[in-house]
Amino acid sequence: MMQADNSSAKVPVEHLPYNRENEELVKQNFWSKTKKFAGKIPFTKDAIAMYYCAVDAKTPLWAKGIAFAALAYFISPLDTIPDAFIGLGFTDDAAVIAAGVRAIAGQVTDEHRSKSEAFFNGESKD
């Protein structure tokens, strides 16, 4: 019996490719979708903190790439489970955001989380 070689599947997150298209998509569309669904989906605060992490000049490029990829999936109209299915439509988005947050957990700072809180308290200019 032949065993599968999983060595290529173990790519450190620091070596994941950065995609400029994801960044542009997120920067153009993030706030419109977020404002539409804020308070209706439980992971919005995490998504906003991840956004602030992604646009922070101090965040390493690899972490920006992960954040922008997860956020691009969240705002993309092409979903595995369409968002129109209330209750189920955001489960795939939640999973992607949660995975992204875990992958870059050390990069999301208290400042990013504070900015997310400020958005929910109506103190944000975004």
Side-chain angles (χ1 to χ4, degrees), residues 13-14 16 50 62-63 66-67 97-107:
V13 292
E14 295 86 5
L16 292 173
M50 185 185 298
W62 65 267
I66 291 171
I97 295 297
V101 167
R102 275 193 309 275
I104 66 166
Q107 303 302 317

Side-chain angles (χ1 to χ4, degrees), residues 16-125:
L16 292 173
Y18 178 81
N19 185 315
R20 173 77 62 197
E21 290 83 22
N22 285 340
E23 178 180 355
E24 293 304 316
L25 176 70
V26 171
K27 285 183 174 180
Q28 291 174 10
N29 300 301
F30 179 75
W31 289 114
S32 61
K33 181 160 183 177
T34 301
K35 288 175 182 177
K36 182 178 178 181
F37 293 107
K40 297 177 185 171
I41 49 178
F43 61 87
T44 310
K45 285 184 182 180
D46 288 334
I48 293 171
M50 185 185 298
Y51 175 84
Y52 283 120
C53 178
V55 298
D56 188 334
K58 296 173 281 199
T59 301
L61 191 59
W62 65 267
K64 287 176 179 273
I66 291 171
F68 281 129
L71 294 169
Y73 185 87
F74 166 59
I75 64 171
S76 174
L78 304 174
D79 262 342
T80 302
I81 304 171
D83 296 340
F85 293 114
I86 304 300
L88 289 177
F90 290 106
T91 55
D92 58 326
D93 298 302
V96 170
I97 295 297
V101 167
R102 275 193 309 275
I104 66 166
Q107 303 302 317
V108 179
T109 66
D110 289 340
E111 178 185 356
H112 302 141
R113 289 182 195 91
S114 293
K115 286 181 176 182
S116 178
E117 283 294 325
F119 171 83
F120 275 90
N121 294 333
E123 302 164 12
S124 176
K125 296 175 184 83

